[in-house]
Amino acid sequence: MGSDAVELHAPGPAGAHRTVRLSSPDRIYFPGPGHTKLDIARYYESVSEGITRALSHRPCMLHRFPKGTTEKKVHQKKLPAGAPDWVETVDVFFPRYRRTVGELCVTEAAAVLWAVQMATVEFHPWNSRRDYTIGFHPTDPTAAPVEFPDEWRIDLDPMPECDFATVRRVAEVVHEILDELGVVGYPKTSGGRGLHVYVRIAPEWGFTDVRRAAHAFGAEVVRRTAGEATVAWWRKDRDPSAVFVDFNQNARDHTMAAAYSVRATPRATVSAPITWDELPDVEPDDFTVATMPERFARLGDLHATIDDVAHRLDTLLQWADRDDADEATGAGDD
């Protein structure tokens, strides 16, 4: 590393202290606001508790930008070479390639900073973990935890002609249905034009069932939103002014930007947890690398209690069975 490297410090487990050397700290990553590599590292330090919780024990794909966000992006599944021995991984098997890859598995704040040293801007974790949590014990003790999601993700993805007011209205319907189900959802901005809602679930179901449950939920949202939402699979079949409830984000190896992740947008937006009460006034560009540290210092991690309760998918899977039966008989046709 060059002489311009700076040292960053983070607490580790059991009272340990980690030192991460950051090379090329003055390299510009975001030309518009002028944010450097060091600025991104300092940002992640400022939201350390939140980003570490969001990534904790999950396989994580890295979006790396070695020459800044206006240049080529590297999608990195395999942990980059040269990691310190305290940076942990989780083995994930990819049937398509018939190979097992060790992906980054964040277990402490310093691992995030090390990833920034490796030019990571965005963190995209799986919705399952390396280890079972929330006191769950599987019936099959040989089952790999990474194959059983503990997070159901509701992705409200606006189509090209959809405005954010429509996204807000659809999100309110999402909230309404979750309340009826007795389920607590944790909303956040996507860092782009959409919204995400995360729900912690018991890791009893595989990706296929979680995706089915997510589709059934999305179909109920569609029924209640008078054409403002869609679960149409093919883009050509979607109303360009609607919100796509993207149930497929719950499929295996589909990832989304973590809470507090920076996004590679011109303004350096971040995926920001919000409260439901804030929803009517939120704008997508409200939360950036420049503004989020003060908000986090003031409010803390709005997703801090997400692990307190693990919800079940039984009702949603019943809805999925009902919808499948209706489709088979034509009862769901207009």
Side-chain angles (χ1 to χ4, degrees), residues 33-312:
H35 296 322
T36 65
K37 183 178 183 179
L38 180 59
D39 291 331
I40 302 308
R42 295 298 189 201
Y43 163 77
Y44 280 119
E45 284 184 318
S46 75
V47 297
S48 176
E49 178 186 352
I51 187 66
T52 303
R53 177 178 288 111
L55 300 176
S56 180
H57 291 80
R58 301 186 184 281
C60 185
M61 182 169 70
L62 308 177
H63 287 197
R64 299 173 55 233
F65 295 83
K67 296 184 178 180
T69 56
T70 58
E71 300 296 331
K72 185 178 179 180
K73 173 169 62 175
V74 178
H75 292 260
Q76 186 97 31
K77 293 182 184 290
K78 184 178 180 181
L79 185 76
D85 58 9
W86 46 262
V87 172
E88 300 189 30
T89 61
V90 52
D91 286 342
V92 178
F93 178 67
F94 293 94
R96 178 181 178 184
Y97 305 106
R98 298 181 182 179
R99 61 180 299 195
T100 296
V101 171
E103 292 199 21
L104 174 68
C105 185
V106 169
T107 58
E108 57 180 284
V112 175
L113 298 181
W114 179 81
V116 174
Q117 156 56 17
M118 302 305 293
T120 300
V121 171
E122 299 188 11
F123 293 84
H124 289 242
W126 282 43
N127 61 337
S128 62
R129 305 203 211 203
R130 184 183 66 181
D131 310 298
Y132 289 117
T133 57
I134 323 177
F136 178 75
H137 300 286
T139 303
D140 178 4
T142 66
V146 76
E147 300 300 335
F148 293 86
D150 74 334
E151 193 165 75
W152 159 33
R153 296 172 173 177
I154 303 167
D155 179 16
L156 303 182
D157 182 13
M159 294 295 96
E161 298 174 19
C162 178
D163 60 20
F164 197 68
T166 304
V167 178
R168 288 197 197 94
R169 288 194 296 271
V170 173
E172 292 288 8
V173 173
V174 167
H175 191 199
E176 171 188 289
I177 300 172
L178 290 176
D179 278 351
E180 292 173 9
L181 291 168
V183 169
V184 179
Y186 288 79
K188 67 183 184 73
T189 65
S190 67
R193 298 174 54 245
L195 288 171
H196 301 155
V197 182
Y198 284 3
V199 175
R200 190 65 78 242
I201 59 175
E204 295 186 21
W205 297 274
F207 291 100
T208 298
D209 280 337
V210 175
R211 182 179 178 275
R212 285 187 72 235
H215 182 273
F217 182 87
E220 182 63 20
V221 173
V222 171
R223 282 188 280 269
R224 299 194 191 189
T225 51
E228 291 191 321
T230 180
V231 287
W233 176 250
W234 299 108
R235 179 175 286 269
K236 65 180 177 60
D237 295 331
R238 300 176 199 155
D239 183 334
S241 64
V243 175
F244 177 41
V245 186
D246 190 356
F247 57 93
N248 207 47
Q249 291 293 3
N250 293 279
R252 190 181 190 272
D253 194 30
H254 282 229
T255 61
M256 301 197 303
Y260 302 104
S261 176
V262 180
R263 304 305 308 273
T265 60
R267 294 189 63 246
T269 52
V270 303
S271 182
I274 61 173
T275 67
W276 287 111
D277 288 342
E278 290 179 299
L279 181 60
D281 301 314
V282 159
E283 295 292 342
D285 287 346
D286 284 346
F287 312 103
T288 69
V289 166
T291 64
M292 195 65 186
E294 184 279 330
R295 175 179 168 87
F296 191 90
R298 177 167 42 88
L299 299 178
D301 181 9
L302 295 180
H303 285 190
T305 58
I306 194 170
D307 284 322
D308 287 1
V309 178
H311 298 284
R312 299 190 58 79

